[in-house]
Amino acid sequence: MVSMLLAVHDAYTTVVAQIGNPTPETPPVADKLMKLVRYFTWFTMLSGVTAITYGGGRFAWEKWSGGGLESPKMIAGAMIGGVTATSAGTIMNSVIGS
């Protein structure tokens, strides 16, 4: 039994030793994909700034008109969403392990 396991191990290491280490190369549409990612990043930043501006304007309107204050929740949500969107790259690198 032991000699059989040693033979299998020897055959396995012989086969694995013949497999080369492939050289990395960029995918065919990497430049277009990176352009799309950049557009998405700008859209995310623009929507975050718009949400915070809208929440701030609504907060000022609610303070001025004396209505119920619901806009601080909007501002906090926009800020939490912005932090999450901004740190998404770092989170993904941590998850993937790069």
Side-chain angles (χ1 to χ4, degrees):
M1 178 76 170
V2 174
S3 62
M4 194 173 185
L5 288 174
L6 288 173
V8 168
H9 181 269
D10 185 43
Y12 176 73
T13 55
T14 304
V15 170
V16 171
Q18 293 178 4
I19 297 174
N21 192 7
T23 58
E25 57 184 63
T26 58
V29 292
D31 54 339
K32 292 180 182 177
L33 184 63
M34 287 306 296
K35 190 173 187 178
L36 183 67
V37 167
R38 287 186 196 111
Y39 281 137
F40 182 69
T41 303
W42 275 107
F43 175 73
T44 304
M45 284 189 219
L46 183 64
S47 64
V49 168
T50 304
I52 290 175
T53 304
Y54 175 74
R58 187 166 171 177
F59 181 63
W61 179 259
E62 288 174 357
K63 279 292 251 189
W64 183 66
S65 65
L69 293 178
E70 295 180 13
S71 55
K73 295 176 198 172
M74 292 173 52
I75 294 173
M79 292 175 76
I80 290 171
V83 167
T84 304
T86 306
S87 61
T90 306
I91 293 170
M92 289 307 293
N93 284 337
S94 298
V95 170
I96 293 172
S98 296

